[in-house]
Amino acid sequence: MDTIMNYLENMFASMPKSKQMQQLKDDLLVHMEDKYQELKRAGKSENEAIGVVIGEFGNMEEIMDEFGIDLDDDRANEPFLMDEEIEEYLHVSKKTSIWIGIGVGLCIISAAMFVFIAGLQNNGFLNEIPVKTANIIGVICLIVFVAIAVGLFIYNGMKIEKYDYIHTEHAFQLSFEQKNSIQTRKEAHQPKYLAALICGIALIILSPVVLFTTLAINEQFTHFGVVGLLWIVAIGIFLLIFFTTEMDAYKNLLKEGVASKSKKNEKRDRITGAVAVIIWSLATIIFLISGFLYNQWHINWLVFAIAGIFIGMFNAAYSILTKNE
């Protein structure tokens, strides 16, 4: 082992004396020792074991490439993430993705509640309640659900904002062990992510089947078909948000596809993206309600054009208001 340690010291003799290089050196020593002991247990002589270890770990350029280290950049001064920070970030990302998914689902289900109450009224299940009162109850349910959803967006957005530095380049670095651990967890999550992606998209595409089925059985039950459609869409979107967010958390830690953005731009994109999701969801809800309940198909498509204008107006206004921050 002394030969291996001396060889490792010579390998790093010309390298910068930084925390990053020391961490890399320590990680390599651990792996070289493990490999050496494994070879010795397999019956190799000491010289044979040393030769194999040096042959496997002795190319400095390959090691630097494998660890993603570029000595010409400023990353040597980046701080290392602690294991506790990584676990906390993954835990918070997973937890917030659940609540954000529920929030988006509530925006859609709020419309489902409105349509459901209207369906009960139209089919004579709420004859003791005046039509106007039933409509007011439906609107109240819609507003309450959307208000709860907005609260969830704000609260969880503030919780994840603590980790803005993880979403930008050149803010941190990981040890070899940490990278391997995160990569392993990412690969283990990949099948669930792909399955959720397929199921979520399939549910959204197939959701109109419920509506068409109720139309075929009895047109009076159209309202309940719309309710089923909206619930299925809500479930599909929740699956997409939850599993995609968890996958993005692993990618952010591994710096896969992380753009070189300032924290200000990250925050802006997150806020404008959330507003766009809410506006498009509400536009879809209004489109379905006005079409199936009030038969306004000839004109209700304008809601999407109006939604696009509102999103553009908000993005422009937000950019102007935060320009000098």
Side-chain angles (χ1 to χ4, degrees):
M1 275 305 300
D2 290 339
T3 303
I4 292 176
M5 293 178 67
N6 291 333
Y7 183 84
L8 192 64
E9 289 291 341
N10 291 330
M11 282 178 63
F12 282 84
S14 60
M15 294 294 106
K17 307 302 181 184
S18 65
K19 184 176 180 180
Q20 182 187 31
M21 288 295 106
Q22 185 60 47
Q23 181 69 44
L24 176 58
K25 180 180 172 183
D26 293 342
D27 290 339
L28 276 175
L29 180 58
V30 171
H31 286 284
M32 292 172 85
E33 287 179 344
D34 290 343
K35 186 65 176 180
Y36 173 80
Q37 296 298 336
E38 179 185 335
L39 292 169
K40 290 287 288 182
R41 288 193 296 270
K44 299 287 185 181
S45 68
E46 183 172 355
N47 289 335
E48 288 175 327
I50 291 173
V52 172
V53 170
I54 290 176
E56 185 171 332
F57 296 96
N59 190 317
M60 197 63 188
E61 290 184 3
E62 291 182 1
I63 292 173
M64 301 293 278
D65 290 339
E66 180 180 349
F67 281 76
I69 297 174
D70 184 0
L71 296 178
D72 295 329
D73 64 22
D74 298 325
R75 292 186 59 190
N77 297 320
E78 295 174 8
F80 280 84
L81 281 185
M82 302 294 290
D83 291 340
E84 294 77 8
E85 289 181 273
I86 294 173
E87 293 303 323
E88 185 180 347
Y89 170 67
L90 291 173
H91 174 73
V92 172
S93 294
K94 188 172 184 178
K95 194 171 181 180
T96 54
S97 69
I98 293 174
W99 289 112
I100 290 174
I102 290 174
V104 174
L106 285 175
C107 289
I108 300 173
I109 292 171
S110 64
M113 291 296 295
F114 178 87
V115 176
F116 180 71
I117 292 173
L120 292 176
Q121 180 68 40
N122 288 348
N123 285 277
F125 295 108
L126 297 177
N127 287 333
E128 66 279 5
I129 300 177
V131 175
K132 185 177 180 180
T133 302
N135 290 335
I136 292 174
I137 293 173
V139 171
I140 291 174
C141 289
L142 189 149
I143 293 172
V144 169
F145 276 43
V146 171
I148 294 173
V150 172
L152 290 174
F153 295 148
I154 295 173
Y155 176 72
N156 288 281
M158 292 174 65
K159 286 184 65 176
I160 202 67
E161 188 174 356
K162 174 184 176 182
Y163 304 96
D164 275 350
Y165 65 95
I166 290 180
H167 303 152
T168 58
E169 282 187 323
H170 308 304
F172 67 91
Q173 53 185 316
L174 302 173
S175 69
F176 178 70
E177 296 290 345
Q178 289 173 330
K179 284 184 178 179
N180 274 350
S181 175
I182 295 169
Q183 184 64 39
T184 300
R185 293 166 72 172
K186 174 176 171 282
E187 291 173 358
H189 180 68
Q190 185 78 17
K192 292 185 288 185
Y193 166 70
L194 292 176
L197 199 65
I198 294 171
C199 289
I201 294 174
L203 284 173
I204 294 171
I205 293 174
L206 296 175
S207 59
V209 171
V210 178
L211 176 61
F212 298 145
T213 302
T214 55
L215 282 172
I217 296 173
N218 192 331
E219 290 188 4
Q220 291 183 340
F221 296 149
T222 300
H223 296 78
F224 304 120
V226 174
V227 172
L229 180 150
L230 293 174
W231 268 95
I232 292 174
V233 169
I235 294 171
I237 291 178
F238 175 83
L239 290 174
L240 294 177
I241 291 175
F242 177 68
F243 286 94
T244 299
T245 301
E246 187 172 353
M247 177 60 72
D248 287 343
Y250 294 126
K251 290 182 178 179
N252 289 334
L253 287 169
L254 295 171
K255 298 186 179 182
E256 296 179 359
V258 178
S260 181
K261 295 182 179 180
S262 66
K263 290 185 179 181
K264 176 183 173 182
N265 290 337
E266 285 282 344
K267 181 179 179 181
R268 181 196 63 195
D269 292 346
R270 189 166 62 250
I271 292 175
T272 55
V275 170
V277 168
I278 294 172
I279 291 178
W280 283 120
S281 297
L282 291 175
T284 303
I285 291 167
I286 294 171
F287 175 79
L288 292 172
I289 291 175
S290 62
F292 288 110
L293 296 188
Y294 303 104
N295 200 30
Q296 298 297 313
W297 300 109
H298 63 289
I299 196 172
N300 64 351
W301 58 269
L302 288 173
V303 70
F304 294 110
I306 296 172
I309 293 172
F310 272 120
I311 292 173
M313 290 170 60
F314 175 82
N315 290 346
Y318 185 80
S319 298
I320 293 172
L321 291 173
T322 59
K323 184 176 182 181
N324 296 320
E325 289 184 1

